[in-house]
Amino acid sequence: MAGGGENRRGASDTALEESLLLSEETAAIRSSGGKSETRKKWEKTYLDVLGVCCSAEVALVESLLARLDGVRAVSVVVPSRTVIVEHDPAAVSQSRIVKVLNGAGLEASVRAYGSSGIISRWPSPYIVAAGALLLASSFRWLFPPLQWLALVAAWAGAPPMLLRGFAAASRLSLDINILMLIAVVGAVALKDYTEAGLIVFLFTGAEWLETLACTKASAGMSSLMSMIPPKAVLAETGEIVNVRDLVVGDVIMVRAGEVVPVDGVVVEGQSEVDERSLTGESYPVPKQPMSEVWAGTLNLDGYISVRTSALAENSTVAKMEKLVEEAQNSRSKTQRLIDSCAKYYTPGVVVLGAGVSVLPLLLGAGDPERWLRLGLVLLVSACPCALVLSTPVATFCALLTAARIGILIKGGDILESLGEITAVAFDKTGTITRGEFSIHAFHAVGDKVQMAHLLYWISSIESKSSHPMAAALVDYGHSKSIQPKPENVTEFRILPGEGVHGVIHGRHVYIGNKRALARASSCHTAPEETKTMVGAHPKGGASVGYVICDGELVGVFSLSDDCRTGAAEAIQELRTMGISSVVMLTGDSAEAAMHAQEQLHAGVLDEIHSELLPADKVRLVGALKAKAGPTMMVGDGINDAPALAMADVGVSMGISGSAAAMETSHATLMSSDILRIPEAVRLGRRVRRTIAVNVVVSVVVKAAVLVLALAWRPLLWAAVLADVGTCLLVVLNSMLLLREGSKDGKVEACRATARSLEMRRSAQAQLADGAASSTASATSTNIESPAGGDCHCCQNQTSKSAEHLVAIDIPADDLKAASSRAPAKSGFTEEATGCDDTSMLMATSSSCASQGCCSGQVRT
Ligand SMILES: Nc1ncnc2c1ncn2[C@@H]1O[C@H](COP(=O)(O)OP(=O)(O)OP(=O)(O)O)[C@@H](O)[C@H]1O
Ligand SMILES: [Mg+2]
Ligand SMILES: [Zn+2]
């Protein structure tokens, strides 16, 4: 077996093995060849458990499974009736788990790999029998003995309730099944057999309907969970292996139509990949050698071989799954409140019910039957089922919708906070702008250092940095045939808000902005000569960088990047949604910040703060919170991480953004589509509305039944119907959240264009990248976008010589004035103007019209 295969057994590569050991047990299994090692191998089993209705059953499921040896963790997702068990299959098998759950009447079954969940679409025989018998008994006016059939109906439908009730009672807990059973017994005692049958039928029937309604939610969840194929094919040997047994560095093959099984980098071949499962956007993304691919994405055409860059359980999609699971288990503020109320409500009403039916009997008050009925109605109404479900089902559905459109939200709480947002702060580089810099000028200062040396130092040091500017500088080096040697760099340090430092061949080199210049050299302002060197670029708004070697300024360069497609529309949309302040916080220069604002004139920012250190961003987010209320911060860099944590909702951009930002943020945009930001806020608002409606409905209906019972007649069946009916209503109302929000046609058209442009741009950049690194002779490193923007049909980012406002904090009025002076152009018309521009960006030969950007067609 060749290299990759040996690695996989891991015996030879101890360093690799060590790093893997850190990350989980599977490494242990691999190093042992999967045999002799006695360490446990945890596996996750997904079960459909139809009997999970209220949160009352959650505790039951947990206590049943916790008793089993070899079960490490249990999580119950009520809305989709899913139980996720992490267990050691050697100690406790799947079938044993199922048996234990079914012993308590929970109707559990293992979800088949890749199945859409919930299996039984048909009502159980118990329900059918109860229904049929009840129907037959309604003919008792023809033949009176038929009334006994109602009693038989109650008897026939009760077994599942009995099992569950018994399981709950044996844990000394009171659940809805017990309450309903008491009501049935009461009805029988009152000789009202129809009522008894009706209670059983309504209760079990409604539960079934609820399950049916949950099928959709459940399907959404499992589609998220089972995107990854279980097997992978090693490229060199063609051997089929378990995805779990792959190690970092293995090369696997992915053929057309297959799903990529692990995160990695393409080493060979070309194809287009649909990343919809991660980003929520379905369109082909071109891949060639050096491109990153992610597990769970679909290889549309062409053959690629991929060098894995993460273990299966550490892949982005696995992390995503984990987050979604955790999010479903985390409780939101509203839910905690409701749960704590329900804790007192149920026993309270049960005691009241018992009192109402027994006390009048003891005191000899008139009509004991009426009191008994009233007590039973109270008992049945004691189930706060609908109220308890009102929040988790809504957040569950919303989380799924969010995940589907490429927004990963780390909990129900955050979803609710999203709906409260009144202020938004954007980072500039990599958030509002693309983070793909192009270098306008690069000069050596003085004659001490040769250009080639300078470039070699810079690209070696910068290849250790993940800053967007670093990538541009490394590319620039490549274009001048300079190969970076990061291994020669020592004492590498990131200076937040300033730049980077490294020692190469004994020389201390600083690369960064004027702060770095001031720190590293004796000059506190840039010498005049450098100003003429980097000059004023015709496009304006460039950032200037300095290279300082051993305390002396040796190089100066200028670079800039452009706003993302859709950034202006996103800001505009936030405004129309009533977000009171939208601000920009950037570590970059004031000129660069103004350059971004000029491109954004359709979406005016209230404030622009530039040249900020990470701590300044935190301070400003704090100030915004105090001034404008709940604040959202959107950012991508390490320098944004503290501010993201400080904000009420911190949103990190993209899977390619910095890991620190993703870690500290409360939500992550899987794609770089900034238009998802207003969408997320809208979703948050919808969730809040849905929850409010759910709570009101469940409280009002219960209250109405009680009032009716007190004022008029205590109808048992009406109480049961109200209980299960509201549960159903709450579920159905929440399911509306599974639909994506109503789409604004214009925004969608724009997004469609943005997608195709963005995609071609990155394809082009990657091609240029690949070319530069493989031949080291390409002349262009960055693809300049024509006319400072994109296809004019959906973008109005034409470059213009706008006024230079270089104050650090610019009052909103000035900005608005500035933008109103800029020629106004309607957002996105359907004219074909300027479409030729796009053709420059196209990696493939497809014509502009086929992109649908000018004809207004939306690609889906
Ligand atoms: N690796 C680097 N190489 C060169 N200059 C750098 C590097 N990192 C940072 N700088 C300089 O420091 C400045 C501040 O960087 P910082 O990361 O705080 O903000 P930014 O990424 O430019 O902007 P934003 O905060 O909007 O994302 C940059 O504008 C740049 O001039
Ligand atoms: Mg940034
Ligand atoms: Zn209930």
Side-chain angles (χ1 to χ4, degrees), residues 427-429 462 465 467 469 497-499 513 586-588 617 639:
D427 157 66
K428 182 185 78 71
T429 315
E462 290 288 20
S465 160
H467 197 273
M469 285 187 187
E498 297 183 15
N513 56 10
T586 178
D588 210 345
K617 291 197 179 189
N639 63 337

Side-chain angles (χ1 to χ4, degrees), residues 56 59 118 137 170 241 250 265 306 322 441 457 467 497 506 514 519 535 578 613 623 664 732 752 758 789 805 818 853:
I118 306 291
S137 79
S170 67
V241 294
D250 277 353
V265 178
V306 174
K322 228 195 221 134
W457 295 344
H467 197 273
K514 56 189 179 200
R519 171 200 291 266
L613 296 173
T664 49
L732 290 177
E758 199 86 36
L805 303 163
C853 69

Side-chain angles (χ1 to χ4, degrees), residues 461-462 464-466 489-494 500-503:
I461 294 172
E462 290 288 20
K464 293 196 154 215
S465 160
S466 63
V489 178
T490 54
E491 294 178 39
F492 175 79
R493 255 184 311 142
I494 293 174
V500 288
H501 162 265
V503 176

